[in-house]
Amino acid sequence: MYKDKKVVFSGIQPSGQLTIGNYLGALKNFKEFSEEYRCYYCVVDEHAITVRQNPAELRRRTYETLALYIAAGLDPEKNVLFVQSHVPGHAELGWILDCYTMFGELSRMTQFKDKSRKNADNINAGLFTYPALMAADILLYQTEMVPVGHDQKQHLELARDVAERFNQIYGDTFIVPEPFINKTPAARIMSLAEPTKKMSKSDENENATVRILDERDVIIKKFKRAVTDSETEICAREGKDGIINLMSIYGAFTGKTFEEIEREFAGRGYGDFKLAVGEACADALAPVQAEFKRLMQDKKYLEEIMLKGAMEAHHDSLRTMSKVRRKIGFTEKPRF
Ligand code: ATP
Ligand code: LTN
């Protein structure tokens, strides 16, 4: 609880150019909470370094991700927009929660297994304990609700378990957070190249992803190349993963249901449909892209937002931090 408001927290890693998966599954929904909740939206750069990053790119992407938050409609006056590594409480509480998170629990995380497979030469300890840092992000602000895509459900369950474990040992300390996952198929946008795999911003195959910042003709071309099947009918039948994914994307951008889409494209071919998806996507992203371009020309403004966000987040984090320190038996921090 923050004053009279319940708290919402979410984060996106600056680990690549954001995709329409990030947009439809997470970012686009963030602004809906701004009026009713105290919202913290964080660029989680500490999470991003669990995979090796090029330093100049990481820095640029941190600005870009913040600019995209604003371009997607998050008003910096109504939301706390900040960068994770600017607020020391995340790493501090992250370490503490490492000590309340079990090796066995972390070993079961599918994201860890996936990323270990993809980065076999760099299976570092941070990649393994990633979910404990994510729990810290959330619990630090006494968060009630966490809007995320479907792939983060398992991490959220772990965060809840860690909060409950801590509360059981020390008495009520943390609010146990709830995930907020879209009920629509937009919570799980799949790769355009392999529609049984999630679309991921760090995918090396450029044809697998559509980026929020892709140009209109690139977007249309990528949808044209999307992997489908050898049939001709546009419907959500089992086994038609590619078409179902395109229907999910089209539905998310136009507000149409699967039935409406099936009716609209009855008797028409995949070519027509793919073009319509591409156009709907490009149309919806155009205003976000324009605002993004404008913001990126004003680095000073973005830095002001970073400072303001970090100051507010840091201030708000201190209450939980001092409570946690007291409960576990750390001595009071000397002021220096
Ligand atoms: P990476 O490829 O670096 O792991 P990512 O694309 O999975 O990145 P994250 O930064 O881990 O993106 O996720 C940010 C938010 O976007 C999370 O809430 C996540 O659930 C959501 N998200 C990511 N990919 C998708 C997707 N394909 N469909 C729906 N939501 C998604
Ligand atoms: N783990 C998330 C990013 C993330 C996050 C968070 C999301 C880090 N900390 C806290 C919600 C709340 C991801 O990989 N998508």
Side-chain angles (χ1 to χ4, degrees):
M1 191 73 88
Y2 175 85
K3 294 182 184 158
D4 285 335
K5 282 185 169 177
K6 290 183 176 177
V7 171
V8 164
F9 184 100
S10 197
I12 298 184
Q13 303 181 69
S15 50
Q17 262 214 36
L18 267 58
T19 69
I20 56 168
N22 301 131
Y23 184 69
L24 298 174
L27 184 53
K28 183 170 170 268
N29 311 317
F30 288 176
K31 62 174 180 290
E32 283 160 34
F33 302 98
S34 300
E35 298 294 338
E36 253 183 84
Y37 295 82
R38 170 78 165 169
C39 296
Y40 299 89
Y41 295 120
C42 184
V43 181
V44 289
D45 54 349
E46 289 169 343
H47 278 97
I49 62 164
T50 56
V51 170
R52 206 62 79 225
Q53 302 290 336
N54 170 304
E57 264 177 36
L58 178 61
R59 198 169 297 122
R60 179 170 47 79
R61 287 194 172 130
T62 301
Y63 282 95
E64 286 179 356
T65 307
L66 181 74
L68 272 178
Y69 278 2
I70 304 168
L74 294 176
D75 180 346
E77 296 300 321
K78 292 192 183 146
N79 301 274
V80 183
L81 308 180
F82 72 107
V83 176
Q84 186 183 29
S85 68
H86 295 177
V87 177
H90 291 258
E92 268 181 62
L93 186 60
W95 171 255
I96 293 170
L97 295 185
D98 274 349
C99 304
Y100 296 83
T101 308
M102 300 302 131
F103 185 90
E105 288 175 313
L106 293 169
S107 311
R108 285 194 289 275
M109 295 293 116
T110 56
Q111 182 172 304
F112 172 68
K113 291 188 219 166
D114 279 357
K115 295 217 166 170
S116 303
R117 226 172 290 126
K118 282 191 209 148
N119 303 282
D121 55 344
N122 183 25
I123 307 176
N124 60 71
L127 190 65
F128 188 63
T129 61
Y130 179 114
L133 178 60
M134 176 162 163
D137 297 340
I138 297 166
L139 303 184
L140 189 55
Y141 301 97
Q142 303 294 345
T143 301
E144 309 241 355
M145 208 156 58
V146 187
V148 281
H150 187 268
D151 62 305
Q152 294 303 310
K153 193 164 179 263
Q154 197 185 28
H155 286 164
L156 249 299
E157 278 157 13
L158 182 61
R160 289 171 57 87
D161 290 344
V162 171
E164 278 166 1
R165 180 172 304 139
F166 197 100
N167 288 348
Q168 196 126 45
I169 304 173
Y170 299 105
D172 273 354
T173 310
F174 295 123
I175 287 186
V176 180
E178 294 282 346
F180 180 90
I181 300 170
N182 240 337
K183 300 269 178 318
T184 66
R188 211 171 135 72
I189 300 297
M190 310 308 275
S191 154
L192 295 193
E194 284 175 75
T196 49
K197 246 179 58 184
K198 145 186 132 103
M199 184 182 287
S200 160
K201 70 168 111 68
S202 54
D203 199 319
E204 275 148 26
N205 178 358
E206 260 315 303
N207 286 325
T209 58
V210 173
R211 315 266 173 192
I212 302 180
L213 299 172
D214 277 345
E215 307 264 354
R216 186 180 184 86
D217 56 329
V218 175
I219 295 178
I220 289 173
K221 192 178 72 199
K222 283 183 174 175
F223 278 113
K224 209 182 273 175
R225 289 195 185 142
V227 169
T228 49
D229 51 61
S230 54
E231 302 177 359
T232 53
E233 203 186 338
I234 292 141
C235 66
R237 204 184 311 122
E238 221 190 301
K240 292 173 77 75
D241 299 315
I243 289 294
I244 293 174
N245 190 36
L246 294 180
M247 289 172 75
S248 306
I249 295 169
Y250 188 65
F253 281 121
T254 60
K256 292 177 186 167
T257 63
F258 274 17
E259 278 130 51
E260 287 169 327
I261 300 170
E262 284 172 5
R263 233 175 294 130
E264 184 179 355
F265 290 95
R268 292 165 68 186
Y270 284 2
D272 261 15
F273 178 50
K274 285 175 165 181
L275 180 65
V277 183
E279 284 177 340
C281 174
D283 288 348
L285 293 179
V288 179
Q289 295 180 349
E291 181 63 0
F292 172 83
K293 279 195 191 117
R294 198 185 63 76
L295 288 161
M296 283 306 285
Q297 278 158 9
D298 196 349
K299 239 177 146 179
K300 231 186 100 214
Y301 172 70
L302 293 176
E303 280 163 1
E304 278 167 27
I305 303 298
M306 281 182 188
L307 172 65
K308 177 176 163 291
M311 278 168 51
E312 285 186 39
H314 177 60
H315 171 268
D316 298 349
S317 73
L318 292 175
R319 256 178 64 191
T320 302
M321 258 342 279
S322 82
K323 191 164 158 193
V324 168
R325 293 179 56 87
R326 213 174 339 105
K327 296 240 180 187
I328 56 181
F330 283 180
T331 53
E332 201 170 326
K333 241 183 184 175
R335 286 169 200 273
F336 49 80

